[in-house]
Amino acid sequence: MTSGQNQRFALTTPLYYVNDVPHIGSAYTTMAADAIARFHRLQGHEVLLITGTDEHGQKIQRTAEQLGKDPQVHCDEIVASFETLWQRLNIQYDRFSRTTDPRHAAIVAEFFQRVWDKGDIYQGQQKGWYCVGCEEFKEERDLLANQHCPIHKRPVEWRDEQNYFFRLSQYQEALLELFAEHPDFIQPASRRNEVLKFVEQGLQDFSISRINLDWGFPVPGDDQHTLYVWFEALLGYITPLLEPDAEPTLANALGKWWPIDLHLIGKDILRFHAVYWPAMLMSADLPLPKRVFGHGFLTKDGQKMGKSLGNTLDPMALVHRYGCDAVRYYFLKALEFGQDGDFSEARFIDVVNADLANSLGNLLNRTLKMAVKYCDGQIPDINVQNLPTDHPLAQLGREAGQKVATAYQSLNFSQACNICLSLAKAGNQFIDEQAPWSIYKQGEYALVNQILYTVLESVRLSAYLLSPVIPNLSTQIYQQLGFQLDLNVHHGEDGAALYSVHSNWGGLPVNQMLGTPQPVFQKLEPLQAASP
Ligand code: MSP
């Protein structure tokens, strides 16, 4: 039995609204979630990555009406476009949660009953400004001029109706205790502080039903009311935990994978996940998720992205044009996860070309060619243990695995990538300085072997540790180094043993036959340059 074999990790992306085809914001969270899931699988952990769609509510109902479509038909079409995008982005999700899944209705009804039995649901009058885009009531003081939503820039609607309410106010103390006892529950720290302030100011009960809305679940026992979309959507993290043939009960769902280790979300939906959701679970006497991470927002060329500005970024077009590893790499390496970040095509091309084509790809290619010439196309035979302690590549390589692991664990993708890149850059510098081609001419073959081994090993280790981010490229690099290992494949129980060899310096087996040197990454051309 290898260590780590029994470790489990469950994580979720948000369940995306299906009012439109997926946008880059959804792709961003999903790429990050996939990288984390892959990093855990790489270590031999058992992983459950849940993504999915949030399909009910006024926003979706109105979209379908405007398109003249049955809402379910509309949802099915949009879901198909999410599935296609995830496939193109090489996202390895385990479960796709749809809130229109018939099993979800049963889970929601049972959960509602538990909260009802607790005495946390009552009827009251809801008056206020509602933004259908956000599916949320807004405070008057937060609105723009003429009662416009600050996020959607569209008019909010006045509502004055009988609703069912959830006693959120009862959970203020318990939530503050949770945040104090589990300082890592909300990350990053800046977002934790925001939430803390919000809760300290006092919590108001929130309405969990709507009238004049058909597209959703009726409130159990009162079908004049439809459940508020957020109240049921969050439970969409629980329904997919059911095994395919299991009876849809909470007891069956909340087995092996609950509580979820990590909810990855954007900062705009932090309050729902860090305040409403734990309070709802406390009310139902269920264990709480371990961590909620709210990442930043993407802008394009320094401007907020939006349909009204006409500057949205289509993730499908981006992958089609540049390939999935380039897209994954840019968003995870070039932006600080947790903070807002910008996309500009020029920077995208610069970063990807500098890192993947030049630093990593070229280094592999030129070193492989030398190994073909000087070492009969094999990994040079050296004794890694005998490398000088101050060998620059060995020094970096020995600590890379642990450092990268820590970076992934704290969702610092940019740092993980930078550590790998510095190894590749050091490899480039080393080979330039050492000039093995002239050492070979002097007949110092043992030294040539040592230089080429350490450079190839630097490329290997970088590629391996980058594989959660650029799995196809890493696999290609591995193949050229003569490995049969497909880094897109989860090796189950053998994973932990493989990880302990491959994440460490010296994992390159001597005398392994190398593949034929071929460029692994073609430089990207800007779109403008490509057209006549
Ligand atoms: N349906 C809810 C989530 C329910 S979870 C039980 C929802 N869906 S959404 O499709 O509108 O948003 C999904 C995610 O996309 C959110 O995490 C949001 O932060 C993210 N983004 C939307 N626009 C974004 C950017 N411009 N940049 C980065 N992420 C953004 O909310």
Side-chain angles (χ1 to χ4, degrees), residues 438-503:
S438 47
I439 298 181
Y440 187 79
K441 282 193 197 133
Q442 293 155 16
E444 290 196 54
Y445 304 129
L447 186 55
V448 171
N449 281 353
Q450 196 189 78
I451 296 166
L452 294 185
Y453 181 95
T454 54
V455 175
L456 288 173
E457 173 58 0
S458 303
V459 178
R460 183 204 65 78
L461 187 54
S462 311
Y464 184 76
L465 296 173
L466 280 173
S467 67
V469 178
I470 47 166
N472 293 339
L473 185 55
S474 296
T475 300
Q476 268 178 280
I477 293 177
Y478 252 57
Q479 278 165 359
Q480 293 217 5
L481 290 170
F483 289 99
Q484 306 277 312
L485 196 64
D486 183 344
L487 294 167
N488 272 300
V489 173
H490 183 208
H491 293 276
E493 294 188 356
D494 297 335
L498 280 171
Y499 181 79
S500 76
V501 173
H502 287 261
S503 66

XYZ file of all heavy atoms in Angstrom, residues 438-503:
522
model
N 31.333 21.962 -27.786
C 32.804 22.095 -27.832
C 33.470 21.132 -26.849
O 34.565 20.640 -27.114
C 33.262 23.542 -27.628
O 32.609 24.101 -26.546
N 32.782 20.815 -25.743
C 33.351 19.821 -24.812
C 33.464 18.461 -25.510
O 34.417 17.718 -25.327
C 32.469 19.720 -23.542
C 32.464 21.068 -22.828
C 32.965 18.620 -22.607
C 31.658 21.111 -21.564
N 32.459 18.181 -26.359
C 32.483 16.908 -27.091
C 33.721 16.846 -27.984
O 34.407 15.829 -28.049
C 31.194 16.784 -27.925
C 31.044 15.439 -28.590
C 30.608 14.325 -27.870
C 31.362 15.278 -29.938
C 30.473 13.084 -28.483
C 31.233 14.040 -30.559
C 30.776 12.952 -29.827
O 30.644 11.730 -30.426
N 33.987 17.965 -28.633
C 35.159 18.006 -29.525
C 36.449 17.751 -28.751
O 37.392 17.187 -29.263
C 35.245 19.372 -30.223
C 34.265 19.480 -31.366
C 34.582 20.688 -32.232
C 33.376 21.026 -33.092
N 33.043 22.451 -33.075
N 36.444 18.168 -27.470
C 37.646 17.944 -26.652
C 37.703 16.509 -26.119
O 38.601 16.145 -25.371
C 37.671 18.917 -25.474
C 37.858 20.363 -25.892
C 37.288 21.345 -24.863
O 37.028 20.958 -23.727
N 37.087 22.574 -25.277
N 36.690 15.728 -26.436
C 36.699 14.316 -26.031
C 36.260 14.065 -24.602
O 36.416 12.957 -24.086
N 35.682 15.052 -23.954
C 35.245 14.839 -22.558
C 33.804 14.309 -22.528
O 32.866 15.024 -22.172
C 35.349 16.160 -21.788
C 36.786 16.577 -21.558
C 36.872 17.635 -20.493
O 36.348 17.404 -19.398
O 37.426 18.710 -20.794
N 33.673 13.062 -22.940
C 32.334 12.509 -23.147
C 31.542 12.384 -21.857
O 30.321 12.565 -21.842
C 32.422 11.157 -23.868
C 33.181 11.267 -25.177
C 34.236 10.416 -25.483
C 32.844 12.269 -26.100
C 34.944 10.544 -26.673
C 33.555 12.401 -27.300
C 34.593 11.546 -27.575
O 35.278 11.695 -28.732
N 32.212 12.070 -20.763
C 31.482 11.905 -19.496
C 30.835 13.221 -19.084
O 29.693 13.248 -18.601
C 32.422 11.417 -18.396
N 31.547 14.298 -19.348
C 30.997 15.607 -18.978
C 29.819 15.976 -19.893
O 28.800 16.503 -19.441
C 32.105 16.669 -19.040
C 31.726 18.054 -18.544
C 31.169 18.001 -17.114
C 32.951 18.991 -18.572
N 29.976 15.667 -21.180
C 28.853 15.909 -22.112
C 27.624 15.144 -21.622
O 26.513 15.680 -21.562
C 29.232 15.458 -23.548
C 28.005 15.493 -24.464
C 30.346 16.333 -24.097
N 27.829 13.894 -21.250
C 26.710 13.075 -20.752
C 26.041 13.737 -19.557
O 24.815 13.802 -19.454
C 27.219 11.698 -20.312
C 27.432 10.784 -21.503
O 27.074 11.156 -22.633
N 28.008 9.615 -21.276
N 26.879 14.223 -18.673
C 26.326 14.825 -17.451
C 25.519 16.092 -17.776
O 24.430 16.294 -17.251
C 27.480 15.166 -16.507
C 26.985 15.416 -15.113
C 28.099 15.961 -14.252
O 28.431 17.146 -14.331
N 28.695 15.103 -13.454
N 26.067 16.889 -18.677
C 25.357 18.135 -19.039
C 24.013 17.796 -19.683
O 22.962 18.313 -19.296
C 26.211 18.990 -20.007
C 27.496 19.445 -19.321
C 25.414 20.188 -20.525
C 28.548 20.000 -20.256
N 24.067 16.887 -20.668
C 22.826 16.602 -21.395
C 21.800 15.918 -20.488
O 20.610 16.193 -20.574
C 23.111 15.765 -22.642
C 23.938 16.498 -23.713
C 24.073 15.637 -24.964
C 23.325 17.845 -24.087
N 22.272 15.046 -19.614
C 21.320 14.399 -18.694
C 20.623 15.448 -17.840
O 19.395 15.457 -17.720
C 22.017 13.372 -17.779
C 20.996 12.700 -16.861
C 20.429 11.481 -17.205
C 20.564 13.315 -15.685
C 19.453 10.893 -16.394
C 19.598 12.741 -14.871
C 19.045 11.526 -15.231
O 18.074 10.961 -14.443
N 21.388 16.334 -17.264
C 20.771 17.282 -16.321
C 19.818 18.239 -17.037
O 18.791 18.632 -16.479
C 21.834 18.084 -15.526
O 22.729 18.698 -16.437
C 22.596 17.198 -14.565
N 20.144 18.576 -18.288
C 19.230 19.475 -19.012
C 17.949 18.721 -19.383
O 16.837 19.226 -19.183
C 19.916 20.078 -20.256
C 18.912 20.910 -21.046
C 21.096 20.945 -19.840
N 18.118 17.508 -19.894
C 16.916 16.733 -20.245
C 16.066 16.468 -19.005
O 14.839 16.505 -19.053
C 17.303 15.402 -20.908
C 17.849 15.514 -22.327
C 18.372 14.166 -22.821
C 16.793 16.053 -23.298
N 16.723 16.236 -17.896
C 15.993 15.988 -16.653
C 15.233 17.247 -16.209
O 14.130 17.165 -15.672
C 16.962 15.498 -15.562
C 16.385 15.355 -14.171
C 15.179 14.408 -14.043
O 14.746 13.835 -15.051
O 14.657 14.281 -12.924
N 15.828 18.405 -16.457
C 15.130 19.653 -16.114
C 13.870 19.815 -16.962
O 12.825 20.234 -16.459
C 16.029 20.873 -16.353
O 17.202 20.734 -15.623
N 13.990 19.477 -18.243
C 12.809 19.574 -19.118
C 11.749 18.571 -18.648
O 10.563 18.883 -18.557
C 13.175 19.259 -20.591
C 11.936 19.310 -21.467
C 14.219 20.217 -21.102
N 12.191 17.362 -18.347
C 11.246 16.333 -17.911
C 10.495 16.760 -16.656
O 9.269 16.690 -16.583
C 11.975 15.009 -17.625
C 11.018 13.889 -17.234
C 11.680 12.802 -16.416
N 12.140 13.252 -15.114
C 11.352 13.439 -14.043
N 10.061 13.240 -14.119
N 11.867 13.866 -12.892
N 11.248 17.214 -15.679
C 10.624 17.556 -14.405
C 9.659 18.740 -14.581
O 8.546 18.729 -14.040
C 11.722 17.883 -13.374
C 11.282 18.096 -11.941
C 10.476 16.917 -11.416
C 12.501 18.324 -11.036
N 10.082 19.736 -15.365
C 9.171 20.868 -15.626
C 7.899 20.361 -16.284
O 6.791 20.751 -15.900
C 9.758 21.897 -16.587
O 11.017 22.252 -16.217
N 8.063 19.508 -17.304
C 6.891 19.024 -18.043
C 5.973 18.239 -17.115
O 4.749 18.393 -17.158
C 7.336 18.150 -19.211
N 6.551 17.422 -16.262
C 5.724 16.596 -15.365
C 4.932 17.476 -14.402
O 3.727 17.321 -14.230
C 6.612 15.632 -14.584
C 5.815 14.691 -13.709
C 5.140 13.603 -14.266
C 5.728 14.890 -12.332
C 4.392 12.743 -13.469
C 4.983 14.041 -11.536
C 4.318 12.965 -12.108
O 3.567 12.121 -11.322
N 5.636 18.435 -13.809
C 4.963 19.272 -12.808
C 3.988 20.254 -13.452
O 3.065 20.732 -12.799
C 6.010 20.016 -11.967
C 6.921 19.105 -11.132
C 8.036 19.908 -10.474
C 6.124 18.345 -10.064
N 4.183 20.516 -14.740
C 3.234 21.380 -15.453
C 2.058 20.588 -16.022
O 1.126 21.174 -16.566
C 3.932 22.100 -16.609
C 4.770 23.336 -16.296
C 5.522 23.787 -17.552
C 3.905 24.482 -15.782
N 2.097 19.273 -15.925
C 1.080 18.475 -16.614
C -0.359 18.755 -16.155
O -1.280 18.624 -16.944
C 1.404 16.983 -16.554
O 1.317 16.525 -15.231
N -0.607 19.186 -14.914
C -1.986 19.549 -14.595
C -2.487 20.751 -15.413
O -3.678 20.910 -15.629
C -1.930 19.909 -13.104
C -0.752 19.159 -12.581
C 0.243 19.191 -13.714
N -1.546 21.573 -15.881
C -1.929 22.774 -16.629
C -1.902 22.504 -18.138
O -2.811 22.888 -18.868
C -0.983 23.951 -16.276
C -1.335 25.199 -17.076
C -1.030 24.250 -14.778
N -0.851 21.847 -18.619
C -0.694 21.613 -20.071
C -0.526 20.108 -20.333
O 0.543 19.658 -20.753
C 0.508 22.407 -20.635
C 1.765 22.247 -19.732
C 0.178 23.868 -20.801
C 3.056 22.728 -20.394
N -1.582 19.335 -20.081
C -1.417 17.877 -20.124
C -0.984 17.320 -21.470
O -0.190 16.379 -21.523
C -2.809 17.350 -19.752
C -3.742 18.498 -19.895
C -2.947 19.755 -19.734
N -1.464 17.910 -22.588
C -1.090 17.341 -23.885
C 0.371 17.620 -24.200
O 1.106 16.740 -24.644
C -1.963 17.924 -25.008
C -3.404 17.481 -24.857
O -3.688 16.482 -24.194
N -4.315 18.234 -25.445
N 0.775 18.838 -23.963
C 2.158 19.207 -24.245
C 3.115 18.404 -23.356
O 4.146 17.894 -23.820
C 2.323 20.716 -24.008
C 3.661 21.323 -24.369
C 4.029 21.019 -25.810
C 3.621 22.833 -24.161
N 2.779 18.257 -22.097
C 3.638 17.480 -21.199
C 3.747 16.038 -21.677
O 4.825 15.443 -21.639
C 3.066 17.488 -19.779
O 3.074 18.801 -19.276
N 2.640 15.484 -22.151
C 2.666 14.097 -22.637
C 3.561 13.989 -23.873
O 4.351 13.057 -24.010
C 1.235 13.608 -22.957
O 0.478 13.693 -21.756
C 1.222 12.175 -23.455
N 3.453 14.991 -24.749
C 4.315 14.965 -25.953
C 5.789 15.045 -25.564
O 6.620 14.363 -26.143
C 3.999 16.191 -26.805
C 2.947 15.958 -27.853
C 2.717 17.281 -28.564
O 2.013 18.134 -28.044
N 3.345 17.469 -29.711
N 6.095 15.879 -24.600
C 7.485 15.998 -24.156
C 7.936 14.654 -23.583
O 9.028 14.161 -23.877
C 7.624 17.139 -23.116
C 7.345 18.486 -23.793
C 9.009 17.120 -22.446
C 7.367 19.702 -22.873
N 7.071 14.053 -22.788
C 7.405 12.746 -22.210
C 7.676 11.706 -23.302
O 8.589 10.899 -23.195
C 6.282 12.301 -21.260
C 6.710 12.386 -19.808
C 7.159 13.589 -19.265
C 6.725 11.254 -18.990
C 7.591 13.665 -17.948
C 7.161 11.318 -17.674
C 7.596 12.522 -17.157
O 8.036 12.592 -15.861
N 6.832 11.758 -24.346
C 7.033 10.770 -25.420
C 8.377 10.968 -26.094
O 9.089 10.020 -26.391
C 5.904 10.880 -26.442
C 4.672 10.128 -25.973
C 3.428 10.500 -26.755
O 3.459 11.341 -27.649
N 2.318 9.866 -26.385
N 8.744 12.229 -26.308
C 10.037 12.482 -26.966
C 11.198 12.077 -26.073
O 12.281 11.778 -26.542
C 10.150 13.944 -27.350
C 9.159 14.270 -28.426
C 9.698 15.259 -29.448
O 10.856 15.658 -29.416
N 8.842 15.625 -30.364
N 10.944 12.053 -24.787
C 12.001 11.604 -23.874
C 12.013 10.080 -23.760
O 12.787 9.521 -22.992
C 11.804 12.246 -22.490
C 12.088 13.756 -22.418
C 11.637 14.323 -21.086
C 13.579 14.042 -22.625
N 11.122 9.445 -24.512
C 11.131 7.984 -24.571
C 10.185 7.299 -23.601
O 10.190 6.070 -23.494
N 9.347 8.056 -22.899
C 8.384 7.433 -21.968
C 7.122 6.991 -22.718
O 6.749 7.589 -23.725
C 7.935 8.433 -20.894
C 8.990 8.779 -19.883
C 9.730 9.954 -20.006
C 9.227 7.945 -18.800
C 10.690 10.290 -19.067
C 10.187 8.281 -17.852
C 10.921 9.458 -17.991
N 6.467 5.998 -22.150
C 5.182 5.546 -22.693
C 4.022 6.168 -21.904
O 2.881 5.864 -22.151
C 5.044 4.017 -22.561
C 6.169 3.227 -23.152
C 5.982 3.039 -24.643
O 4.909 2.662 -25.073
N 7.017 3.328 -25.409
N 4.369 6.956 -20.895
C 3.371 7.431 -19.945
C 2.487 8.525 -20.552
O 2.988 9.528 -21.027
C 4.131 8.002 -18.742
C 3.389 8.229 -17.446
C 2.885 6.924 -16.860
C 4.323 8.925 -16.438
N 1.171 8.317 -20.515
C 0.245 9.349 -20.975
C -0.205 10.153 -19.759
O -0.878 9.621 -18.877
C -0.957 8.696 -21.671
C -1.914 9.732 -22.244
O -1.816 10.914 -21.849
O -2.756 9.355 -23.082
N 0.161 11.406 -19.718
C -0.131 12.219 -18.533
C -1.581 12.692 -18.498
O -1.991 13.420 -17.604
C 0.847 13.393 -18.439
C 2.292 12.930 -18.184
C 3.282 14.062 -18.400
C 2.460 12.361 -16.780
N -2.364 12.265 -19.482
C -3.804 12.526 -19.424
C -4.537 11.394 -18.716
O -5.735 11.479 -18.486
C -4.371 12.646 -20.838
C -4.281 14.065 -21.353
O -4.858 14.980 -20.766
N -3.533 14.261 -22.428
N -3.816 10.343 -18.415
C -4.469 9.160 -17.839
C -4.230 9.090 -16.340
O -3.109 9.299 -15.872
C -3.932 7.878 -18.535
C -4.437 6.620 -17.858
C -4.319 7.887 -20.002
N -5.287 8.791 -15.613
C -5.160 8.647 -14.164
C -4.702 7.229 -13.865
O -5.310 6.272 -14.324
C -6.533 8.913 -13.519
C -6.502 8.849 -12.029
N -7.589 8.494 -11.282
C -5.519 9.102 -11.156
C -7.260 8.523 -9.998
N -6.014 8.895 -9.903
N -3.624 7.121 -13.106
C -3.064 5.791 -12.884
C -3.554 5.132 -11.617
O -2.930 4.178 -11.130
C -1.536 5.845 -12.963
C -1.087 6.164 -14.346
N -0.952 5.211 -15.328
C -0.830 7.342 -14.945
C -0.605 5.786 -16.468
N -0.531 7.087 -16.258
N -4.645 5.606 -11.083
C -5.281 4.973 -9.935
C -4.300 4.765 -8.800
O -3.548 5.664 -8.433
N -4.326 3.529 -8.284
C -3.502 3.230 -7.104
C -2.007 3.316 -7.378
O -1.214 3.514 -6.462
C -3.850 1.832 -6.588
C -5.272 1.783 -6.057
C -5.584 0.489 -5.357
O -4.707 -0.393 -5.351
O -6.696 0.373 -4.838
N -1.621 3.153 -8.646
C -0.187 3.241 -8.963
C 0.283 4.693 -8.989
O 1.482 4.964 -9.041
C 0.110 2.639 -10.349
C -0.226 1.165 -10.380
O -0.217 0.547 -9.293
O -0.514 0.649 -11.479
N -0.678 5.594 -8.980
C -0.353 7.018 -9.117
C 0.641 7.505 -8.084
O 1.584 8.215 -8.418
N 0.435 7.115 -6.831
C 1.293 7.635 -5.762
C 2.750 7.230 -5.976
O 3.666 8.044 -5.809
C 0.789 7.147 -4.408
N 2.947 5.974 -6.382
C 4.315 5.502 -6.604
C 4.931 6.221 -7.801
O 6.093 6.652 -7.758
C 4.307 3.994 -6.828
N 4.150 6.367 -8.865
C 4.650 7.078 -10.045
C 5.017 8.512 -9.677
O 6.043 9.038 -10.089
C 3.569 7.123 -11.139
C 3.410 5.872 -11.984
C 2.182 5.972 -12.863
C 4.654 5.693 -12.862
N 4.139 9.114 -8.883
C 4.380 10.517 -8.498
C 5.683 10.639 -7.728
O 6.455 11.570 -7.948
C 3.204 11.030 -7.656
C 3.363 12.485 -7.237
C 3.088 13.512 -8.132
C 3.780 12.828 -5.952
C 3.230 14.854 -7.765
C 3.935 14.159 -5.577
C 3.654 15.162 -6.490
O 3.800 16.484 -6.119
N 5.932 9.693 -6.834
C 7.136 9.888 -6.019
C 8.402 9.725 -6.863
O 9.413 10.342 -6.574
C 7.131 9.025 -4.749
O 7.433 7.723 -5.095
N 8.324 8.980 -7.944
C 9.490 8.906 -8.841
C 9.552 10.155 -9.726
O 10.567 10.834 -9.820
C 9.409 7.648 -9.745
C 10.518 7.665 -10.799
C 9.484 6.394 -8.893
N 8.422 10.469 -10.357
C 8.452 11.489 -11.410
C 8.478 12.920 -10.890
O 8.874 13.823 -11.600
C 7.258 11.292 -12.354
C 7.427 10.104 -13.245
N 7.867 10.197 -14.539
C 7.242 8.783 -13.008
C 7.941 8.988 -15.074
N 7.563 8.103 -14.158
N 8.026 13.149 -9.685
C 8.026 14.539 -9.195
C 9.371 14.888 -8.563
O 9.577 16.009 -8.109
C 6.917 14.748 -8.172
O 7.192 13.984 -7.015
